[in-house]
Amino acid sequence: MKTISLKIDDSIFGETEYLLLSIKKPRNRYINDALQYYNTVQKRILLQKQLHFESKLVSESSME
């Protein structure tokens, strides 16, 4: 496991701390889960862009 240091906006930190009290989840686990979710979303976006690009190429070549 890697250790990182990061700066978080005060408003985001406060909101996160409030939520952590409500859901009773450790901050570290919460941040790991959030990053994992965000990575999944970003991978899907990249895949969507790639598929759109390739679809456009196939469409252009099939029109010929």
Side-chain angles (χ1 to χ4, degrees), residues 7-61:
K7 294 182 181 185
I8 301 173
D9 293 338
D10 290 337
S11 60
I12 294 172
F13 182 79
E15 183 180 18
T16 301
E17 290 298 302
Y18 174 77
L19 290 169
L20 289 173
L21 287 173
S22 300
I23 62 174
K24 294 179 175 53
K25 185 181 257 190
R27 184 185 308 127
N28 189 56
R29 173 61 17 218
Y30 185 81
I31 293 171
N32 273 290
D33 290 347
L35 285 171
Q36 184 177 20
Y37 175 78
Y38 190 75
N39 286 342
T40 300
V41 169
Q42 292 304 311
K43 286 179 189 177
R44 287 180 183 171
I45 290 170
L46 290 173
L47 180 60
Q48 181 183 21
K49 287 179 180 179
Q50 182 67 28
L51 290 173
H52 180 71
F53 174 76
E54 291 176 5
S55 175
K56 190 175 178 183
L57 288 177
V58 169
S59 173
E60 289 173 358
S61 72

